């Protein structure tokens, strides 16, 4: 009970002049400055502003209007990941104490080492390229999601490594070298590795999000952290399925915010960046005195004639086909070890249950699946 | 498996030599600055933090801090400090430092993405996410203050548009637009290693001395992350120096530039140590002697001599300036207090006494007469209009030459037929070495004259994100009267009789 005599009346109910509905918005909205950057990049796109709408082909009337469906800011994010990290530690600890690894049957035992340890490289490369997104994306609401997702990927890469050095390798790091060799040289991983190499040179930050979270991740993530669980259990492996449940939590959020982002961007009717700058107040300035001097005039910026929806559709088209082709060869690894599983079935179910409904909902025309 | 072997396994050998694209396309900036790397894989991250350890340690630390914050807010802790003028200093800190933390967050991600060294990358990534934490706990800090006091309610707009905020903003924008190695030396070494102790420690002790527990907790919680960042800065520096002798002159030039750049943005911190707290645990001069002269110049730079690294170019100037720094800076703040979201204040008798004791050779002679002019009228010392500022650090060009304190230290340089003005030789040298970069600065006064801020003073304040009543002098302000009223409502000023002991 608050004693009314001992409570003070604030001079304003909201801390900020702009409306915020919760703590997440309080600490996220307008955190990134949009105006009055001081200098241009010395070595990269030197005619761009520090935070510039031209780092992506997509256009928005208000980059700050995006919201994370889970409302993660640092505090809830780090608390939630602490719980996940604790449960991974417990799973590994119990498995070790119970000697579960010795009860896991072949051929799953050697197969799982060859499938899961190399994926540490996949997760790591995803985290690396998200750092490009963190630097160049517009607005805190979007890049904050990329930040936590990148950290999740770093975490998964470490969990897979820890699993790799604890179980199959028996408390040494001897498993890591052969698994890197698998990643580099084995035909089953070749296309996936090449996919990640191509991802690492994408310049448009929004395309990175599409190529990483809308195509390869649903396909691979659902396979290795979901659909394979029942097979693992058949061979007595309860470690991978429990680790997978934790990873699925992270992947679900990643997919949720990415889909929300696509929804946000394809429904924005703005077709050029000048309109966005006008919304920041540039319209009232009869020519920023710096344009032509140090900045290129955004009115002169060539705009992509395609709509956001068309651009996203083309990205999806291109990357989804490549992603499917990158996952399919994993079948070879299953066949080599004699694991009865059809990778194509997993791909088909992801396309059917996740991607097609999403593509329809977003009206992404001409995406071939 | 030992801890360090395990740490190595978790964080190394994760990237690979790509086969389908050129490595140079993945790391397009790695050769741009002329840094040479031979075998950076031997480099170690001194903190050896894994993902699991990070989230466990940080979530506990974060929970502790927010518990202190929640209690402080519930008990109206802001009414309990010994003098409400302290919050004017906190406002200055808040709106200047928080956006800097946010910029550092984007910056550390940029460094980690572009430097192809895995040990550096995980450490910089931890720091990138820490910096977001700092920005957000600082926002939470003043979100509560904003409900009771002026000046903070449009902090993001103020940060974008106000002349005062161009100081820290230009510093971080400078690093964000540099190459990744310069950025690393700028932030991890020059800023974190050399200066964060003096940024967070004396100000946090002032906060404790005046009874601001929330701010104490912000300071401590942030500083505990900074020790990791400092360790990163030190290792990164040694690594680059050891990798190739040809890196040494380049690193030296960055240390020279960023030492002065960082030192200058801390000018306002000197007033938060010497002026704003009514009870002061330490003076700027003493803090500078301990944290910069002793620890950095006499300690660290002695060790770095074996690499051929000498102390930063202008460090002697900063040593000479310690007798003047806080007074000259406070004088600037008093000059322009009508155009700031935090206030100056009329010095009280105990302030004169403390300043005179701590600075016997400079305060009474050069500065007290200036502050005395406010005794008759609190706005007597205000300068009309927006200040003329240094083209590098963007602080008003009003620092005295420490060798001749009666003369200004202002310097000039010509570039492309235009004269540019600087606060000190340190800033002038920075400009002369990279004029094409520094001519790109955003100068609010120029925007104002170009009509960007609107047609009237009212428009200008709207653009800044606060009203004229939120500026000026503290003891004649509505915030002072609010603070008194809050205390009265809570019964904090009630006088009790003497204690009966038997």
């Amino acid at each position: 009970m608050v004693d009314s005599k001992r409570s003070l009346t604030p001079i304003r109910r909201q801390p900020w002049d702009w409306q915020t509905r919760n703590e997440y918005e309080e600490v996220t909205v307008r955190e990134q400055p949009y105006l009055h950057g001081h200098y241009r990049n010395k070595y990269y796109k030197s005619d761009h502003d520090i935070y510039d709408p031209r780092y992506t082909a997509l256009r928005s009337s208000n980059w700050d209007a995006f919201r994370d469906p889970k409302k993660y800011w640092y505090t809830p994010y780090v608390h939630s990941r602490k719980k996940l990290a604790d449960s991974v530690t417990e799973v590994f600890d119990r498995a070790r104490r119970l000697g579960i690894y010795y009860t896991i049957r072949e051929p799953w035992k050697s197969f799982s080492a060859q499938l899961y340890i190399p994926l540490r490289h996949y997760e790591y490369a995803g985290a690396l390229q998200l750092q490009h997104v963190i630097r160049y994306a517009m607005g805190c609401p979007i890049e904050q999601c990329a930040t936590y997702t990148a950290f999740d990927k770093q975490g998964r890469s470490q969990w897979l490594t820890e699993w790799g050095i604890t179980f199959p390798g028996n408390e040494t790091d001897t498993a890591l070298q052969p698994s890197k060799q698998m990643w580099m040289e084995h035909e089953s991983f070749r296309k996936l590795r090449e996919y990640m190499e191509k991802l690492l040179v994408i310049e448009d930050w929004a395309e990175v999000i599409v190529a990483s979270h809308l195509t390869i991740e649903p396909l691979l993530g659902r396979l290795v952290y979901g659909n394979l669980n029942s097979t693992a259990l058949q061979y007595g492996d309860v470690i991978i399925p429990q680790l997978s449940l934790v990873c699925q939590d992270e992947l679900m959020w990643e997919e949720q915010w990415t889909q929300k982002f696509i929804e946000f961007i394809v429904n924005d009717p703005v077709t050029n960046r000048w309109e966005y700058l006008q919304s920041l107040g540039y319209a009232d300035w009869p020519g920023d005195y710096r344009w032509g001097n140090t900045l290129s005039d955004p009115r002169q910026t060539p705009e992509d004639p395609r709509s956001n929806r068309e651009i996203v559709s083309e990205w999806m088209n291109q990357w989804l086909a490549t992603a499917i082709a990158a996952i399919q060869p994993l079948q070879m690894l299953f066949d080599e070890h004699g694991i009865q599983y059809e990778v194509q079935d997993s791909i088909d179910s992801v396309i059917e249950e996740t991607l097609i409904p999403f593509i329809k909902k977003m009206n992404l025309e001409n995406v071939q699946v | 498996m030992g801890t360090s072997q395990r740490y190595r396994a978790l964080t190394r050998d994760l990237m690979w030599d790509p086969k389908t694209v050129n490595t140079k396309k993945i790391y397009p900036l790695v050769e741009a600055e002329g840094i040479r790397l031979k075998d950076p894989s031997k480099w170690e991250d001194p903190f050896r933090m894994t993902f699991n350890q990070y989230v466990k340690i940080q979530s506990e630390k974060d929970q502790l801090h927010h518990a202190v914050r929640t209690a402080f807010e519930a008990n109206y802790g802001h009414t309990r400090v010994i003098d409400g003028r302290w919050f004017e200093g906190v406002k200055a800190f808040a709106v200047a430092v928080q956006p800097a933390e946010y910029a550092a967050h984007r910056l550390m991600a940029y460094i980690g993405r572009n430097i192809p060294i895995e040990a550096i990358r995980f450490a910089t990534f931890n720091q990138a996410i820490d910096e977001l934490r700092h920005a957000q706990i600082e926002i939470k800090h003043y979100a509560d203050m904003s409900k009771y006091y002026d000046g903070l309610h449009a902090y993001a707009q103020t940060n974008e548009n106000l002349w005062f905020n161009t100081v820290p903003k230009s510093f971080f924008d400078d690093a964000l637009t540099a190459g990744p190695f310069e950025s690393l030396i700028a932030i991890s070494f020059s800023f974190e290693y050399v200066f964060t102790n003096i940024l967070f420690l004396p100000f946090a002790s002032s906060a404790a001395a005046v009874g601001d527990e929330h701010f104490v907790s912000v300071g401590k919680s942030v500083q505990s992350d900074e020790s990791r960042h400092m360790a990163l800065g030190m290792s990164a520096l040694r690594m680059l120096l050891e990798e190739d002798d040809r890196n040494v002159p380049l690193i030296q030039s960055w240390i020279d530039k960023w030492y002065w750049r960082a030192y200058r943005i801390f000018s306002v911190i000197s007033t938060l140590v010497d002026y704003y707290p009514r009870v002061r645990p330490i003076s700027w001069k003493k803090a500078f002697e301990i944290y910069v002269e002793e620890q950095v110049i006499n300690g660290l730079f002695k060790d770095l001599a074996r690499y051929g690294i000498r102390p930063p170019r202008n460090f002697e100037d900063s040593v000479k300036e310690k007798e003047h720094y806080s007074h000259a800076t406070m004088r600037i703040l008093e000059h322009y207090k009508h155009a700031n979201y935090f206030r100056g204040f009329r010095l009280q008798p105990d302030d004169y006494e403390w300043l005179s004791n701590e600075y016997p050779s400079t305060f009474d002679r050069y500065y007290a007469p200036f502050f005395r002019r406010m005794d008759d009228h609190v706005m007597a010392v205000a300068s009309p209009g927006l200040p003329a500022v240094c083209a590098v650090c963007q602080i008003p060009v009003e620092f005295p030459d420490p060798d001749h304190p009666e003369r200004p230290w202002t310097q000039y340089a010509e570039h492309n037929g235009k004269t540019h003005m600087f606060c000190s030789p340190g800033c002038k040298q920075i400009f002369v070495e990279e004029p094409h970069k520094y001519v790109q600065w955003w100068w609010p006064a120029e925007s104002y004259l170009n009509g960007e801020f609107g047609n009237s003073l009212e428009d200008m304040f709207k653009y800044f994100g606060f009203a004229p009543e939120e500026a000026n002098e503290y003891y004649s302000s509505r915030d002072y009267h609010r603070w008194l009223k809050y205390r009265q409502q809570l019964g904090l000023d009630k006088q009790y009789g003497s204690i009966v002991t038997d």
Side-chain angles (χ1 to χ4, degrees):
Chain A
M1 277 289 279
V2 179
D3 177 353
S4 64
K5 273 183 234 152
R6 292 193 34 88
S7 66
L8 304 179
T9 315
I11 56 171
R12 57 179 69 77
R13 297 191 62 77
Q14 285 253 139
W16 317 133
D17 289 353
W18 50 93
Q19 191 73 29
T20 55
R21 283 169 297 200
N22 43 55
E23 281 191 307
Y24 158 74
E25 291 189 357
E26 209 170 282
V27 299
T28 300
V29 175
R30 302 195 59 169
E31 226 189 300
Q32 179 208 287
Y34 288 87
L35 295 178
H36 302 147
H38 283 280
Y39 316 103
R40 311 284 80 77
N41 300 313
K42 209 165 162 181
Y43 302 108
Y44 177 76
K45 297 194 188 235
S46 303
D47 59 337
H48 280 44
D49 216 337
I50 289 172
Y51 302 113
D52 194 303
R54 292 170 295 169
Y55 290 124
T56 175
L58 303 180
R59 289 129 309 187
S60 164
S61 50
N62 179 6
W63 289 104
D64 234 52
F66 173 73
R67 294 291 177 271
D68 172 8
K70 276 221 156 164
K71 303 189 185 73
Y72 278 143
W73 53 290
Y74 184 91
T75 297
Y77 169 75
V78 85
H79 288 183
S80 119
R81 288 333 186 232
K82 181 205 179 261
K83 284 183 197 153
L84 299 187
D86 281 346
S87 66
V88 170
T89 307
E90 279 161 24
V91 167
F92 287 172
D93 190 43
R94 287 188 195 127
R96 192 165 32 224
R97 283 159 61 196
L98 295 171
I100 286 177
Y101 190 72
Y102 302 98
T103 70
I104 298 171
R105 290 187 298 281
E106 290 292 2
W108 172 267
K109 196 168 178 170
S110 41
F111 163 78
S112 61
Q114 294 204 337
L115 175 65
Y116 284 94
I117 309 176
L119 294 180
R120 63 202 285 267
H121 304 290
Y122 161 80
E123 296 286 11
Y124 187 79
L128 178 57
Q129 193 58 354
L130 275 183
Q131 289 187 247
H132 179 80
V133 178
I134 299 167
R135 165 61 187 90
Y136 295 107
M138 280 296 269
C140 180
I142 296 168
E143 68 78 21
Q144 181 171 232
C145 287
T147 299
Y148 302 142
T149 305
F151 205 46
D152 282 351
K153 285 179 200 279
Q154 294 260 19
R156 289 201 295 276
S157 136
Q158 294 187 7
W159 291 341
L160 290 170
T161 307
E162 198 170 338
W163 177 81
I165 60 180
T166 309
F167 298 104
N170 216 4
E171 297 284 342
T172 68
D173 55 6
T174 48
L176 300 182
Q177 206 40 50
S179 88
K180 184 162 186 193
Q181 209 174 337
M182 287 286 294
W183 175 253
M184 293 305 293
E185 279 154 31
H186 200 275
E187 194 52 24
S188 57
F189 284 109
R190 184 171 62 84
K191 289 240 164 100
L192 181 59
R193 194 197 72 240
E194 290 174 2
Y195 188 97
M196 296 315 281
E197 290 174 2
K198 287 184 193 113
L199 181 82
L200 284 165
V201 296
I202 299 176
E203 287 203 31
D204 187 313
W205 60 264
E207 187 180 357
V208 173
I209 294 177
V210 170
S212 169
H213 300 164
L214 271 185
T215 49
I216 194 80
E217 197 97 306
L219 292 165
L220 184 63
R222 279 187 169 71
L223 171 68
V224 299
Y225 301 127
N227 295 346
L228 273 179
N229 283 348
S230 52
T231 311
L233 292 170
Q234 280 170 28
Y235 290 98
D237 186 352
V238 293
I239 313 172
I240 284 287
Q242 291 190 77
L243 174 63
S244 295
L245 289 179
V246 176
C247 295
Q248 269 177 43
D249 259 17
E250 296 180 340
L251 290 177
M252 284 304 108
W253 170 65
E254 175 187 313
E255 220 169 279
Q256 271 171 28
W257 75 255
T258 304
Q259 294 196 357
K260 192 91 184 296
F261 168 66
I262 299 300
E263 190 180 349
F264 163 83
I265 205 76
V266 300
N267 292 316
D268 195 317
V270 166
T271 55
N272 69 66
R273 280 161 275 208
W274 172 235
E275 285 179 51
Y276 153 74
L277 288 162
Q278 278 178 310
S279 74
L280 292 179
Y282 273 74
D284 300 332
W285 307 341
D288 183 320
Y289 67 96
R290 294 191 309 164
W291 285 341
N293 192 6
T294 55
L295 268 185
S296 52
D297 186 336
R299 284 167 296 192
Q300 309 297 323
T301 306
E303 292 292 342
D304 199 312
R306 299 167 299 171
S307 67
N308 284 350
R309 180 169 273 116
E310 285 164 340
I311 295 171
V312 171
S313 300
E314 278 179 36
W315 285 341
M316 272 293 270
N317 237 344
Q318 180 198 338
W319 290 104
L320 186 55
T322 321
I324 291 169
I327 306 288
Q328 282 164 336
L330 290 174
Q331 185 66 48
M332 281 182 250
L333 200 60
F334 289 77
D335 297 343
E336 264 178 32
H337 289 270
I339 298 284
Q340 297 296 311
Y341 190 86
E342 289 299 323
V343 171
Q344 190 61 45
D345 291 348
S346 175
I347 294 173
D348 291 343
S349 76
V350 176
I351 291 173
E352 207 61 46
E353 289 158 27
T354 309
L355 296 176
I356 289 179
F358 173 71
I359 288 163
K360 280 195 178 141
K361 193 177 156 207
M362 294 300 118
N363 253 326
L364 300 175
E365 300 110 14
N366 310 321
V367 177
Q368 313 282 325
V369 281
Chain B
M1 207 169 163
T3 322
S4 70
Q5 196 191 353
R6 194 172 157 274
Y7 173 78
R8 240 193 123 71
L10 295 189
T11 55
R12 298 304 171 77
D13 204 22
L14 288 154
M15 247 325 275
W16 63 93
D17 293 328
K19 292 185 179 178
T20 54
V21 297
N22 191 325
T23 311
K24 284 184 185 167
K25 274 201 84 184
I26 296 184
Y27 302 113
L29 304 181
V30 72
E31 288 173 358
E33 301 165 270
I35 283 287
R36 290 174 171 89
L37 299 173
K38 280 183 197 138
D39 178 24
S41 64
K42 65 175 194 269
W43 188 78
E44 292 289 340
D45 168 11
F47 253 82
R48 296 191 184 142
M49 185 81 108
T50 64
F51 175 87
N52 284 7
Q53 287 164 333
Y54 181 91
V55 293
K56 284 175 197 184
I57 293 169
Q58 294 297 109
S59 96
E60 276 162 33
K61 191 198 282 183
D62 209 52
Q63 219 153 6
L64 263 173
H65 168 71
H66 287 292
V68 171
R69 171 176 67 78
T70 313
F72 185 90
E73 289 174 7
N75 294 311
Y76 307 113
H78 59 87
T79 61
R80 290 161 204 272
V81 297
I82 60 163
D83 188 328
R85 84 176 188 213
W86 164 254
F87 293 123
E88 300 302 325
V90 174
K91 287 176 191 177
F93 181 93
V95 179
V97 172
Q98 173 273 319
E101 307 270 19
Y102 180 75
H105 152 64
R106 306 283 291 254
L107 180 82
M108 292 318 287
Y110 162 73
I111 293 173
R113 172 63 187 80
N114 285 290
I115 295 185
I117 303 171
E118 289 173 349
I120 283 196
R121 186 172 294 141
F122 194 60
T124 53
F125 196 84
N126 283 342
Q127 184 171 344
I129 188 167
D130 287 338
E131 302 289 1
L132 189 54
R133 166 175 193 259
H134 301 173
Q136 294 183 331
I137 65 176
E138 285 162 21
I139 294 175
K140 289 301 287 172
H141 174 215
Y142 53 90
D144 181 59
M145 279 177 63
S146 182
K147 290 181 188 160
Y148 298 94
Y149 301 104
D150 288 334
L152 299 164
H153 51 91
Y155 77 90
Q157 198 183 330
T158 305
N159 174 53
E160 265 175 347
N161 300 336
L162 187 68
W163 64 275
F164 177 82
N165 297 76
T166 60
V167 176
K169 194 154 172 277
S170 81
F171 177 94
F172 280 90
D173 285 0
D174 197 349
L176 256 171
T177 51
F181 290 107
E182 182 182 343
S183 243
L184 182 68
I185 294 300
I187 303 306
S188 295
F189 179 72
S190 305
F191 185 90
E192 301 277 357
Y193 198 89
V194 177
F195 285 110
T196 43
N197 277 342
I198 203 169
L199 172 63
F200 285 102
L201 298 175
F203 194 27
S205 5
S206 306
V210 300
D212 183 352
E213 282 162 30
H214 189 172
F215 197 84
V216 173
S217 177
V218 171
K220 278 188 188 157
S221 206
V222 166
Q223 185 61 18
S224 67
D225 295 340
E226 302 292 356
S227 51
R228 260 190 292 118
H229 307 168
M230 288 170 69
L232 165 63
M234 199 58 225
S235 309
L237 177 75
R238 284 189 201 280
M239 190 271 295
L240 293 179
L241 292 172
E242 282 172 21
E243 278 292 298
D244 195 306
D245 285 348
R246 287 168 296 182
N247 293 339
V248 176
L250 203 49
I251 302 281
Q252 180 72 55
S253 72
W254 291 336
I255 290 176
D256 289 347
K257 166 181 169 183
W258 289 96
Y259 173 82
W260 191 258
R261 208 82 173 79
Y263 167 72
R264 260 299 177 249
I265 66 167
F266 290 123
S267 56
V268 171
I269 300 298
S270 70
T271 69
L272 303 180
V273 174
D274 279 349
Y275 280 81
Y276 282 94
R278 190 82 184 255
V279 176
R280 303 149 174 99
I282 191 169
S283 68
W284 167 265
K285 186 172 77 177
K286 282 192 187 128
F288 189 84
E289 283 164 359
I290 298 169
Y291 296 114
V292 180
E293 285 179 67
E294 272 310 306
Q295 289 184 1
V296 176
I297 305 297
N298 299 334
L300 168 67
F301 276 94
K302 286 235 166 73
D303 293 347
L304 293 177
R306 66 190 165 99
Y307 297 107
I309 290 287
R310 49 159 177 77
R313 185 171 57 198
N314 302 97
F315 93 89
E316 279 132 344
D317 281 349
S318 63
V319 173
K320 279 191 249 171
E321 222 183 14
K322 71 186 174 190
E323 292 275 1
H324 298 273
Y325 211 25
S326 63
H327 320 302
T329 308
M330 194 66 207
R331 188 165 66 182
I332 293 171
L333 296 181
E334 293 290 355
H335 273 155
Y336 302 105
K337 63 185 175 220
H338 53 287
N340 245 342
Y341 59 91
F342 60 96
R343 301 176 174 98
F345 61 93
R346 193 207 311 246
L347 295 187
Q348 302 301 310
D350 48 308
D351 295 324
Y352 283 107
E353 198 189 316
W354 186 87
L355 288 162
S356 170
N357 285 338
E358 292 292 322
Y359 294 94
S361 54
T362 53
F363 179 72
D364 285 337
R365 182 160 174 208
Y366 298 110
Y367 301 99
F370 170 84
F371 292 106
R372 291 271 180 218
R373 283 165 63 197
M374 284 194 290
D375 291 352
D376 297 328
H377 191 291
V378 290
M379 294 307 289
V381 299
S383 305
L386 290 172
V389 302
C390 170
V392 172
C393 72
Q394 315 202 10
I395 298 173
V397 280
E398 296 177 12
F399 288 100
D401 177 346
D403 291 327
H404 306 279
E406 63 291 347
R407 294 184 210 155
W409 217 7
T410 308
Q411 312 278 313
Y412 301 89
E414 299 288 324
H415 177 72
N416 274 352
K418 206 178 155 189
T419 306
H420 300 265
M421 191 160 44
F422 313 95
C423 70
S424 58
C427 279
K428 178 182 168 176
Q429 270 160 311
I430 292 170
F431 179 91
V432 168
E433 278 161 11
E434 263 179 298
H436 37 280
K437 179 164 202 180
Y438 292 100
V439 294
Q440 298 170 358
W441 65 306
W442 178 67
W443 185 17
E446 198 175 348
S447 292
Y448 173 71
L449 293 174
N450 279 274
E452 193 185 315
F453 295 4
N455 300 317
S456 62
L457 271 181
E458 207 185 5
D459 288 346
M460 186 182 78
F461 276 100
K462 227 172 121 189
Y463 198 74
F464 288 163
F466 55 90
E469 310 83 84
E470 299 178 68
N472 297 339
E473 196 271 343
Y474 179 68
Y475 291 115
S476 51
S477 74
R478 62 190 191 188
D479 265 1
Y480 178 56
H481 292 281
R482 279 173 183 144
W483 183 72
L484 291 177
K485 195 185 82 193
Y486 296 147
R487 287 177 62 82
Q488 192 193 14
Q489 282 172 333
L490 297 178
L492 296 181
D493 292 322
K494 192 177 167 195
Q495 297 291 315
Y496 297 92
S498 54
I499 305 289
V500 179
T501 52
D502 55 11

